[in-house]
Amino acid sequence: MEEKDERTILTRRKTIATAAGLVGAIPVAALANTQFPPQPKTGRADPQGRFAGKVVLVTGATSGIGEATARAFALEGAKVYFCGRRQELGRNVESAVRALGGEATYQRADVREADQIKAFVDNCVSRYGRLDVAFNNAGTVGEVNPFLETALDDWHNVLTTNATGVFLSMKNEIPYMLKQGGGVIINTASVSSYRGFLNIAPYGASKHAILSLTKTAALAFAAKNIRISSIAPGGVDTAMLRYARERQGIRPEQGAMGIPIHRTNTVEEIARAVLFLSSDDATSFAGSNVDVTGGMLD
């Protein structure tokens, strides 16, 4: 059965490669490299990197995916302006990026609060004069409880953080991008935007909402040279995932076996997807939701 599955996967990939004109250019060995987590990029920031001169805003960058993405942008030469609620962690991230020669500035802001997210975006543009890329990543899984034990307060907290936070972020980012003639926005959706998972009902509902927000905004502003897309991470090695697995009695190795590549994704892998969507290599992506689940949506 395992051999049959492998043939099916290779056949599907060969079909896609044929359509793209890539047959003969992809060695079979390369198709298996997803089994091994890539090493994080090391070294100092490159002031002439892919995003040299670009201004990048990131919400929820005091840890996890946001932190890794803020660092990745800075290493590629971007000026990064990021927020999060945990001030000590934010300052630590800021210092770590600057120690590598990158430019990063932390501002404490809570995406649930309209005045705080407005001040955050306004201050970014006031400091750097423009806004080229926004990665709206702030989010929470909330409490992990059976459906009937989900508290209304937790519902409101998760929906406000994850969905309203993205809405408020775009409301403040888009006007600046319209004035300057364009920009890129990436929102963090999830495998939970497509599949239901036990005991995290508010989280799943909020991530479904992000897909709709992304597609609606993309339709409204694509003709204005503003590319808006989202990413759908699956199991990513973050404190949030570890908490959710622990609450449900799922050991790390068990959780990894539920992912077709048989390992938990790294935050650096998600960062690479965000950088790709933000680059000039992704100019036809608008209203897209990019699957970075390690095969969970196949």
Side-chain angles (χ1 to χ4, degrees):
M1 185 66 180
E2 183 177 345
E3 182 179 346
K4 180 180 178 182
D5 289 345
E6 183 177 354
R7 286 199 304 269
T8 300
I9 292 170
L10 290 174
T11 299
R12 184 183 300 114
R13 286 175 172 160
K14 184 177 179 181
T15 300
I16 294 170
T18 300
L22 298 175
V23 167
I26 304 176
V28 173
L31 298 176
N33 67 7
T34 54
Q35 296 176 8
F36 307 98
Q39 295 300 309
K41 184 177 179 180
T42 58
R44 294 187 61 77
D46 179 5
Q48 304 303 318
R50 272 192 296 170
F51 293 92
K54 299 289 187 181
V55 177
V56 178
L57 179 150
V58 184
T59 69
T62 56
S63 65
I65 292 171
E67 177 186 358
T69 305
R71 182 187 300 110
F73 272 119
L75 289 177
E76 290 279 5
K79 299 175 176 65
V80 179
Y81 202 83
F82 70 98
C83 76
R85 287 182 288 175
R86 296 169 295 181
Q87 189 162 341
E88 183 177 355
L89 291 180
R91 296 300 180 199
N92 290 342
V93 173
E94 180 184 78
S95 297
V97 170
R98 291 180 178 180
L100 295 173
E103 184 165 351
T105 302
Y106 166 73
Q107 177 178 327
R108 188 188 183 283
D110 186 338
V111 297
R112 298 173 299 181
E113 301 294 336
D115 58 339
Q116 291 187 31
I117 196 64
K118 183 180 187 306
F120 170 61
V121 178
D122 287 349
N123 289 344
C124 173
V125 177
S126 176
R127 182 182 184 92
Y128 292 116
R130 61 183 296 108
L131 174 58
D132 298 294
V133 178
F135 179 38
N136 299 320
N137 169 73
T140 181
V141 72
E143 299 298 327
V144 178
N145 285 316
F147 188 92
L148 294 180
E149 295 176 21
T150 299
L152 182 58
D153 284 348
D154 189 49
W155 170 269
H156 286 314
N157 177 52
V158 175
L159 268 291
T160 303
T161 302
N162 297 357
T164 305
V166 167
F167 170 72
L168 291 172
S169 295
M170 289 196 292
K171 281 267 287 184
N172 287 282
E173 295 155 357
I174 290 170
Y176 285 115
M177 292 182 175
L178 288 172
K179 289 179 183 178
Q180 68 193 28
V184 180
I185 296 175
I186 312 297
N187 300 321
T188 300
S190 171
V191 63
S192 293
S193 299
Y194 295 94
R195 291 174 52 181
F197 291 89
L198 289 173
N199 304 327
I200 52 171
Y203 183 79
S206 71
K207 292 301 182 176
H208 274 72
I210 288 172
L211 284 191
S212 181
L213 283 168
T214 299
K215 292 180 181 298
T216 302
L219 282 172
F221 299 104
K224 300 295 185 180
N225 198 34
I226 300 176
R227 292 191 282 113
I228 305 175
S229 293
S230 58
I231 56 167
V236 184
D237 187 22
T238 63
M240 190 166 73
L241 177 68
R242 292 191 289 271
Y243 162 75
R245 283 177 172 173
E246 182 181 352
R247 284 280 292 155
Q248 301 193 74
I250 300 173
R251 298 192 305 275
E253 61 272 21
Q254 289 176 310
M257 291 304 293
I259 303 171
I261 60 175
H262 286 186
R263 65 173 177 81
T264 301
N265 295 276
T266 69
V267 291
E268 287 81 15
E269 287 175 296
I270 310 306
R272 291 173 186 180
V274 176
L275 267 64
F276 164 72
L277 286 172
S278 303
S279 74
D280 291 340
D281 292 326
T283 50
S284 65
F285 284 78
S288 306
N289 186 55
V290 176
D291 175 0
V292 281
T293 65
M296 294 176 75
L297 294 178
D298 187 29

